[in-house]
Amino acid sequence: MIEAAKERFGALLEEQLARIASMKANATPIDYATCKPIIIGITGGDGIGPAITKASKEVLEFLLAPAVAEGKVQFKDIEGLTIERRAQEKAAIPPAVLEELKSCHVILKGPTTTPQAGDDWPNIESANVAMRKELDLFANVRPVRVPDKGIDWTFFRENTEGAYTLGSKGIHVTDDLAIDFTVATTQGCERIIRAAFEYAKSAGKTRVTAVTKSNVIKTTDGKFSLIAKQIAKDYPDITLDEWYIDIMTAKLIDEKRRTQFEVMVLPNLYGDILTDEAAEFQGGVGTAGSANIGTKYAMFEAIHGSAPRMVKEGRDIYADPASMMRASALLLSHIGYTKESETLTKALDTCTITERKLTITGRETGCTCTEFAAYIMDTCKNIKD
Ligand code: IPM
Ligand code: MG
């Protein structure tokens, strides 16, 4: 038994060393200015995904109409990233779909159902996690803003390592002993921490907070923490502070303390948990968009799930597309359409915070995704540069 486990462990180590080699070989980021056209893949996912993705695509098409007319940007619809097709092919991402995704530069992706042990679906890996791995989308950037409470946070969640790397590859050594693994590499830590510092520098922020549990998870979190200290030396105008994840979750609800945080950088699982908590202050995960950025590809999504119950009850047309539209704003700024991104962000703030002429309730008491998209586009027209 131990021999079999050792053999599997050996194979996992080989895989990780190969991943390091690939990170080293693919470290230079793509320059979108050289992509003619920039191809934006749109994939609806399942559950409420298609409805909220369609509404967001309409808004993107509206804002990018001149760029499309000039041949600078092209949209590409990608079908098949649904739980039904994934279950049928027993694949986190069906190979043909993955190939299509790889033919795009950036992707707007609707939520996808993640099977869990004991439900009706085969226990395939999450499509999100698989896509982050396949396209090496290492930086999960999640902004959370609540202006009237002084909250302006940007989370840089490491997206390809930590407890997620081998999350589906743990070992049942015996009937009684189960082992999972967590992974940190020098390259993986460096690239996410540097991305957080670079963002802080360009956004005029003066503080980066690294969040780990390095007092207990000494090897991998310890590595993350040491590398953060090394990288901080390259940014003399930015202060690095370090917090443990447990006290950090507490401090996010400390009204005096929390407004001092600006940019947070953290390993995968802590980032997963902390960003849900953070989004709650903004109005819940339904309001938050998320960027998954790599050197070659980038994918933009909502941070919530696919809400299959809403579809069963025929309410998907009333789902809130704000998170996907926030993700669309991140997409625009990532490919260099900063002005369009700002316009969309301002329109979202107007339509969901200040003006709120239409409200989304998730049922027929509120507006539909399509009506909301029209409201956003009307608002964009009235926003002056
Ligand atoms: C997220 C989600 C995913 C994650 C799930 C759906 C696998 O919670 O994007 O935060 O854990 O990363
Ligand atoms: Mg999550």
Side-chain angles (χ1 to χ4, degrees):
M1 272 168 308
I2 291 186
E3 280 314 311
K6 276 187 187 167
E7 208 169 293
R8 289 220 17 222
F9 185 53
L12 296 178
L13 297 182
E14 300 278 357
E15 258 176 54
Q16 292 310 304
L17 291 173
R19 197 171 61 80
I20 291 176
S22 156
M23 278 191 271
K24 286 185 181 166
N26 295 295
T28 315
I30 186 170
D31 176 2
Y32 293 103
T34 63
C35 305
K36 290 191 174 88
I38 300 173
I39 301 175
I40 304 179
I42 307 275
T43 186
D46 49 52
I48 58 169
I52 60 175
T53 307
K54 184 166 163 275
S56 308
K57 185 190 173 197
E58 264 175 57
V59 172
L60 276 177
E61 279 177 329
F62 165 74
L63 289 167
L64 289 173
V68 171
E70 286 169 37
K72 292 184 180 159
V73 167
Q74 192 183 314
F75 286 94
K76 179 171 181 175
D77 287 312
I78 299 172
E79 306 291 332
L81 196 67
T82 58
I83 183 65
E84 293 78 13
R85 167 103 175 255
R86 293 163 55 220
Q88 194 187 8
E89 295 197 25
K90 297 238 179 359
I93 304 176
V97 176
L98 182 59
E99 209 171 296
E100 289 224 61
L101 293 168
K102 286 186 171 173
S103 71
C104 304
H105 297 107
V106 291
I107 297 154
L108 182 69
K109 176 192 143 299
T112 45
T113 301
T114 300
Q116 63 179 70
D119 68 14
D120 292 342
W121 300 109
N123 202 10
I124 44 178
E125 188 180 39
S126 135
N128 299 36
V129 173
M131 204 181 297
R132 292 167 187 166
K133 274 188 205 161
E134 287 288 348
L135 307 182
D136 200 22
L137 307 172
F138 66 88
N140 193 331
V141 186
R142 297 184 160 180
V144 170
R145 316 228 184 289
V146 190
D148 60 341
K149 295 211 165 109
I151 292 175
D152 184 356
W153 298 326
T154 307
F155 293 88
F156 279 73
R157 165 187 175 189
E158 202 295 318
N159 217 15
T160 49
E161 304 204 333
Y164 279 61
T165 320
L166 299 173
S168 304
K169 296 189 176 167
I171 302 178
H172 287 285
V173 180
T174 68
D175 283 348
D176 297 324
L177 177 61
I179 304 261
D180 266 318
F181 305 99
T182 188
V183 178
T185 66
T186 304
Q187 291 70 19
C189 296
E190 274 176 6
R191 62 187 187 172
I192 186 69
I193 295 165
R194 203 167 280 287
F197 273 93
E198 280 298 312
Y199 166 79
K201 191 172 146 189
S202 69
K205 309 280 184 196
T206 55
R207 191 167 173 204
V208 170
T209 304
V211 185
T212 66
K213 186 75 188 177
S214 61
N215 52 339
V216 176
I217 315 294
K218 292 189 188 289
T219 312
T220 47
D221 280 6
K223 186 174 192 64
F224 195 93
S225 158
L226 281 176
I227 292 179
K229 288 192 185 79
Q230 271 165 21
I231 288 182
K233 290 187 193 142
D234 295 341
Y235 299 85
D237 299 333
I238 298 171
T239 310
L240 170 73
D241 59 354
E242 287 200 73
W243 288 73
Y244 296 132
I245 181 64
D246 49 350
I247 189 66
M248 191 70 192
T249 55
K251 286 301 154 194
L252 285 198
I253 54 173
D254 175 339
E255 290 186 7
K256 271 188 248 117
R257 254 301 172 37
R258 68 180 179 192
T259 53
Q260 294 161 15
F261 297 117
E262 297 182 329
V263 178
M264 271 76 99
V265 64
L266 60 181
N268 211 338
L269 182 58
Y270 309 142
D272 177 45
I273 297 166
L274 204 67
T275 54
D276 269 16
E277 184 194 4
E280 196 64 22
F281 301 119
Q282 183 181 267
V285 287
T287 62
S290 156
N292 297 265
I293 295 171
T295 53
K296 196 163 174 200
Y297 301 102
M299 181 268 279
F300 300 81
E301 62 181 347
I303 83 167
H304 56 75
S306 57
R309 189 149 48 99
M310 285 188 75
V311 184
K312 264 191 217 129
E313 295 169 5
R315 294 189 288 116
D316 48 333
I317 56 166
Y318 300 107
D320 188 348
S323 52
M324 283 298 277
M325 292 186 187
R326 296 258 173 216
S328 305
L330 295 171
L331 182 154
L332 287 168
S333 93
H334 183 68
I335 58 173
Y337 286 82
T338 322
K339 195 167 69 66
E340 289 76 2
S341 171
E342 279 166 10
T343 301
L344 178 52
T345 303
K346 280 185 200 155
L348 280 161
D349 289 347
T350 305
C351 298
T352 63
I353 305 170
T354 49
E355 188 184 77
R356 302 186 62 185
K357 263 203 261 172
L358 292 182
T359 44
I360 303 236
T361 59
R363 45 193 78 238
E364 60 209 2
T365 50
C367 72
T368 64
C369 295
T370 316
E371 286 162 350
F372 187 77
Y375 178 30
I376 289 281
M377 290 185 278
D378 273 347
T379 309
C380 286
K381 284 181 202 152
N382 294 324
I383 287 172
K384 303 279 168 290
D385 304 338

